[in-house]
Amino acid sequence: MTGARAIDAQVVSTGRTVAASRALPEEVPVALVYNGTTQAVMMATPCDLNDFGRGFTRTEGLGDVDSIEVVSHANGIEVQMWLPEDRATVLSGRRRAMAGPVGCGLCGIDSLDQAIREIPKVDAEVTISSRQIATAMVALRGGQALHDQTRAVHGAGFFHPDQGLIAIREDVGRHNALDKLIGAVQDCAAGAVVLTSRVSVEMVQKTAHSGASIILAVSAPTTLAVKTAEAANITLVALARDDTFEIFTHSHRIQTEEASDVA
């Protein structure tokens, strides 16, 4: 699946109407099913769904799935996954029983404890330079093929200090894009997560479960995202545009030109 479909439209400009075709992102219900039980139904772009399932499982703190299968139905898609029974039982305590809109990463969570649950403290000590941050942001924007088609999706990328931007995933939902990325990358501890979106607390929680120690984002974080990143030992860099960015937590992983001059 490409994730986009051509839709007829009428373009009106300076009083003239012209028939046209516009590529728009697809958005379908995707059920995440574990051992035969639906855990969540998310509205998502129907591409890279194996990555989506694996990444969602990891960011829920459940490790890797034993097997996975994507099954299409008339009214949506199931990502059917199998876990050992002990790990599947953990899900029953926080089942997301309602559909999750694309803008929300916590829909269906039914208690405050589940919303702000404990997350692992990241121990990776990757460092990147100011120049690499600029390179990562440009590479992510330049590699968003679906966004170029539709102008309507978020992107999440993985930047390796020695290899550059090695993976990009896109979705109408920013949380979904990040889950897809985490499912696609074997060793997130080796680099930085790069985001086109704002940084909310769920984005930090997912990154912590991936093991990545640096988040780079084009937009601003929320106050809770900053607090959570501080507690999880994650370096949070946001408002990264051109050669300007702001560091909110754990700045020791960022090598600025001033630091290089002092050294």
Side-chain angles (χ1 to χ4, degrees):
M1 296 183 181
T2 63
R5 187 158 56 93
I7 299 295
D8 292 336
Q10 291 184 328
V11 178
V12 180
S13 177
T14 61
R16 296 183 60 196
T17 302
V18 179
S21 179
R22 164 73 66 181
L24 298 179
E26 293 187 275
E27 179 184 5
V28 303
V30 177
L32 299 165
V33 182
Y34 292 90
N35 295 21
T37 300
T38 299
Q39 165 66 15
V41 180
M42 307 299 289
M43 300 305 297
T45 303
C47 56
D48 301 310
L49 293 182
N50 280 287
D51 293 338
F52 186 30
R54 291 190 179 96
F56 183 88
T57 305
R58 290 178 64 186
T59 60
E60 287 292 308
L62 296 169
D64 295 322
V65 297
D66 289 342
S67 60
I68 186 168
E69 181 180 4
V70 176
V71 180
S72 295
H73 300 279
N75 58 348
I77 301 173
E78 284 187 340
V79 182
Q80 298 178 355
M81 295 168 282
W82 286 265
L83 293 169
E85 285 301 329
D86 58 336
R87 282 192 281 146
T89 301
V90 174
L91 284 168
S92 63
R94 57 174 186 263
R95 184 181 176 205
R96 303 184 182 199
M98 61 184 289
V102 295
C104 176
L106 296 177
C107 291
I109 294 296
D110 57 12
S111 77
L112 294 178
D113 287 341
Q114 290 175 8
I116 312 297
R117 62 179 183 267
E118 186 176 350
I119 59 175
K121 192 168 185 177
V122 175
D123 57 11
E125 287 300 334
V126 174
T127 59
I128 60 175
S129 67
S130 299
R131 186 171 300 176
Q132 287 175 315
I133 291 174
T135 297
M137 303 310 297
V138 170
L140 177 58
R141 178 61 196 88
Q144 287 186 259
L146 187 56
H147 179 78
D148 288 343
Q149 282 184 277
T150 65
R151 305 293 178 184
V153 297
H154 291 290
F158 185 76
F159 183 84
H160 190 287
D162 298 326
Q163 303 174 37
L165 197 72
I166 61 174
I168 297 174
R169 291 294 183 270
E170 297 178 274
D171 197 279
V172 287
R174 56 200 170 91
H175 310 94
N176 300 341
L178 181 54
D179 276 334
K180 288 179 178 180
L181 178 75
I182 291 169
V185 177
Q186 292 295 317
D187 182 16
C188 290
V193 166
V194 192
L195 304 172
T196 61
S197 63
R198 67 183 173 87
V199 186
S200 55
V201 63
E202 314 95 282
M203 303 297 273
V204 177
Q205 290 171 334
K206 289 177 182 294
T207 300
H209 280 291
S210 81
S213 59
I214 302 174
I215 297 173
L216 309 175
V218 70
S219 296
T222 66
T223 56
L224 185 55
V226 173
K227 179 180 178 181
T228 305
E230 179 67 38
N233 193 33
I234 291 174
T235 297
L236 176 54
V237 176
L239 298 163
R241 302 173 186 229
D242 299 322
D243 59 353
T244 301
F245 56 86
E246 298 182 23
I247 309 172
F248 290 88
T249 59
H250 300 287
S251 61
H252 65 280
R253 295 190 181 95
I254 307 302
Q255 298 173 336
T256 62
E257 291 182 2
E258 291 87 346
S260 299
D261 292 340
V262 171

